[in-house]
């Protein structure tokens, strides 16, 4: 996560923290994509920017590399 770049673009510390948690959830917890998406939905309380990540994961036809 490029926290400094996000700050420069106006993301709050709370939003950056939520996105970092989302990254760790996806790439470090070894969940299936479906499990990760469900867990990400819980982070929506912290930041609406997580929804963009969820939308991207759900619409991906090629998946992601873990």
């Amino acid at each position: 996560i490029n926290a400094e770049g996000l700050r420069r673009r106006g993301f709050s510390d709370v939003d950056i923290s939520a996105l970092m948690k989302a990254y760790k959830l996806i790439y470090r917890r070894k969940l299936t994509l479906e499990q990760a998406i469900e867990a990400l939905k819980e982070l929506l309380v912290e930041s609406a920017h997580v929804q963009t990540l969820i939308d991207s994961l759900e619409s991906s036809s090629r998946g992601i590399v873990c």
Side-chain angles (χ1 to χ4, degrees):
I1 298 293
N2 181 355
E4 186 57 37
L6 292 171
R7 275 190 203 92
R8 288 180 186 158
R9 284 163 181 77
F11 284 70
S12 71
D13 288 338
V14 172
D15 291 331
I16 293 169
S17 175
L19 290 170
M20 286 182 166
K21 286 178 189 176
Y23 172 85
K24 289 177 184 178
L25 191 145
I26 293 168
Y27 290 102
R28 294 190 181 166
R29 287 177 100 194
K30 302 194 191 271
L31 301 173
T32 66
L33 185 58
E34 292 78 20
Q35 292 170 330
I37 289 171
E38 287 304 312
L40 286 172
K41 290 179 181 178
E42 295 175 14
L43 289 177
L44 287 172
V45 174
E46 294 181 37
S47 173
H49 292 288
V50 175
Q51 184 63 51
T52 303
L53 181 57
I54 292 170
D55 292 344
S56 176
L57 293 172
E58 289 179 331
S59 68
S60 174
S61 61
R62 300 180 81 184
I64 60 171
V65 177
C66 292

